[in-house]
Amino acid sequence: MPTAIQAAIRSVQELEDRLAHPSAALLKELARVDGDIMLLGVGGKMGPSLARLAVNAIRAAGLDKKVIGVSRFSNDALKQELLEAGVEIISADLSDDSALQALPETKNILYMAGNKFGTTGNEHFTWMMNAYLPGRVAERFRNSRIVVFSTGNVYPLTPVGQGGATERTSPNANGEYGQSCLGRERIFEHFSHKNGTPMFIYRLNYAIDLRYGVLLELARSVKEQRPIDITMGHANVIWQGDANELALRALLRCSSPPNVMNITGPETISLRWAATEIGRRLGVEPEFTGEEAPNALLSNASKAAASFGYPQVTLAQMIDWVAEWVRLDGATWNKPTHFQEREGKY
């Protein structure tokens, strides 16, 4: 069940602690997962807090497992932070096949590597990262179970009143980023069939951290009194701590052929409403431009909710936290979601 409304988060350390706090359900399920856990592409937005969550859960459950984080680690500070948190670190470029082959055999793989922003004008690199490299990884870790991070961008825009694309909706990606992500899924799917590798396709649609995400972008626009384009008028969001937890719990739900699930919150959110709610908390009247289109990039997460339960952090809680974070001028990352994009160009 969702948790009760909690106090505001006022520091980066408190935020990191919340994102990496394991639930009883995670402790119970992780105890049933044999072997160590390796995160490929741990240096991205979600990877560090996900790695910390895995370490915290293993310690809390008294398990004998290692958490290994693999990245190029251009950020030395992040590398040190993860080491101090108890994550074993391997600096490697996954596109270097000799480096990939040298990685240790590991029972549980979370595949988080990929490329999104900067795709336009560099499409060849995006396809290499999102569709070629997955085949190399799938062959290298054919004896593992693999949670494959994907995206709701594999779906077409759907009518707002339809409730979002389900896993039965035929993928029809708009733009080369989404197409390459569908390519990633299909390549992993092929090798799951070929080698019997159990996999879980994790179609995430807008994780929310207080330093980035759809709600933060709305809140900053409201506070700075910048007009908000609401042509893409609706979205789905999920608290990153919940998204982290479901990625680890997905290890018990891998199968061959791959198990596919949409990972997001239960609501189809009106961005006009969300901005108005944020404005009410900040004492600012939002400004809008454009009119809501009849369709949007939306995912229906009913299948995931039936398997995992509803997210612990509610939409109202996220709005409260984000509004207070922006009011206090909390730290932010320059990593916009581009949720307004309707042509699939990133």
Side-chain angles (χ1 to χ4, degrees):
M1 294 295 292
T3 56
I5 295 295
Q6 301 178 45
I9 299 171
R10 297 179 180 273
S11 70
V12 170
Q13 186 58 57
E14 187 178 353
L15 172 58
E16 292 289 3
D17 290 344
R18 294 277 182 99
L19 292 173
H21 181 71
S23 71
L26 175 59
L27 300 184
K28 182 178 179 181
E29 292 196 5
L30 205 57
R32 295 167 51 200
V33 176
D34 60 305
D36 297 331
I37 300 171
M38 180 183 290
L39 288 76
L40 300 180
V42 74
K45 289 188 292 189
M46 286 184 64
S49 60
L50 178 49
R52 293 186 190 101
L53 175 64
V55 170
N56 291 346
I58 287 166
R59 288 173 176 168
L63 305 176
D64 182 20
K65 296 181 188 297
K66 294 187 294 185
V67 177
I68 304 164
V70 181
S71 174
R72 289 189 296 268
F73 286 110
S74 55
N75 185 337
D76 288 335
L78 174 60
K79 184 176 180 178
Q80 187 59 38
E81 288 171 11
L82 291 178
L83 283 169
E84 291 173 359
V87 180
E88 295 194 11
I89 295 301
I90 298 176
S91 295
D93 180 350
L94 295 174
S95 65
D96 179 344
D97 199 59
S98 61
L100 176 61
Q101 298 305 319
L103 294 177
E105 196 69 36
T106 306
K107 185 65 178 177
N108 302 289
I109 303 296
L110 275 68
Y111 183 80
M112 309 180 75
N115 190 63
K116 180 176 184 179
F117 301 118
T119 290
T120 300
N122 200 26
E123 291 84 357
H124 62 90
F125 177 75
T126 295
W127 279 91
M128 184 280 292
M129 286 295 297
N130 293 352
Y132 169 75
L133 182 57
R136 305 300 301 154
V137 170
E139 285 278 57
R140 170 63 186 85
F141 292 105
R142 67 179 66 190
N143 298 318
S144 304
R145 58 177 70 91
I146 306 176
V147 175
V148 178
F149 272 62
S150 188
T151 171
N153 285 90
V154 300
Y155 293 122
L157 303 181
T158 56
V160 172
Q162 184 175 300
T166 73
E167 294 81 0
R168 294 185 299 276
T169 302
S170 295
N172 187 10
N174 191 14
E176 293 214 33
Y177 165 68
Q179 293 165 11
S180 70
C181 290
L182 179 58
R184 171 172 52 206
E185 291 189 11
R186 295 303 191 209
I187 295 299
F188 271 113
E189 181 184 11
H190 167 74
F191 285 104
S192 179
H193 280 274
K194 177 185 175 184
N195 299 325
T197 305
M199 298 182 185
F200 184 106
I201 306 295
Y202 177 101
R203 288 178 177 165
L204 179 63
N205 203 354
Y206 295 132
I208 296 296
D209 183 317
L210 301 185
R211 294 162 295 191
Y212 78 91
V214 173
L215 296 182
L216 173 69
E217 292 170 41
L218 291 178
R220 292 182 68 181
S221 293
V222 170
K223 183 181 179 182
E224 296 165 13
Q225 296 184 291
R226 289 185 283 112
I228 300 168
D229 184 353
I230 53 169
T231 307
M232 183 76 90
H234 298 78
N236 309 114
V237 301
I238 184 171
W239 176 242
Q240 184 173 302
D242 284 319
N244 289 344
E245 177 150 326
L246 299 192
L248 291 170
R249 293 176 62 190
L251 289 166
L252 276 185
R253 293 161 174 80
C254 293
S255 63
S256 179
N259 189 4
V260 180
M261 285 196 199
N262 296 335
I263 305 296
T264 193
E267 301 94 350
T268 295
I269 303 166
S270 160
L271 297 184
R272 183 191 294 270
W273 170 85
T276 301
E277 286 295 301
I278 291 168
R280 186 169 62 82
R281 288 158 172 80
L282 294 177
V284 179
E285 188 70 27
E287 298 180 31
F288 300 104
T289 184
E291 292 292 333
E292 291 90 338
N295 56 12
L297 183 66
L298 296 167
S299 296
N300 184 312
S302 298
K303 180 180 177 181
S307 183
F308 295 107
Y310 279 94
Q312 297 179 82
V313 177
T314 65
L315 175 59
Q317 178 72 87
M318 286 184 270
I319 289 174
D320 280 346
W321 281 345
V322 168
E324 183 66 6
W325 189 262
V326 168
R327 189 184 72 79
L328 296 173
D329 291 320
T332 60
W333 292 339
N334 184 26
K335 296 182 177 180
T337 61
H338 297 280
F339 68 86
Q340 307 94 334
E341 176 58 45
R342 296 182 59 82
E343 303 299 325
K345 295 179 180 179
Y346 297 100

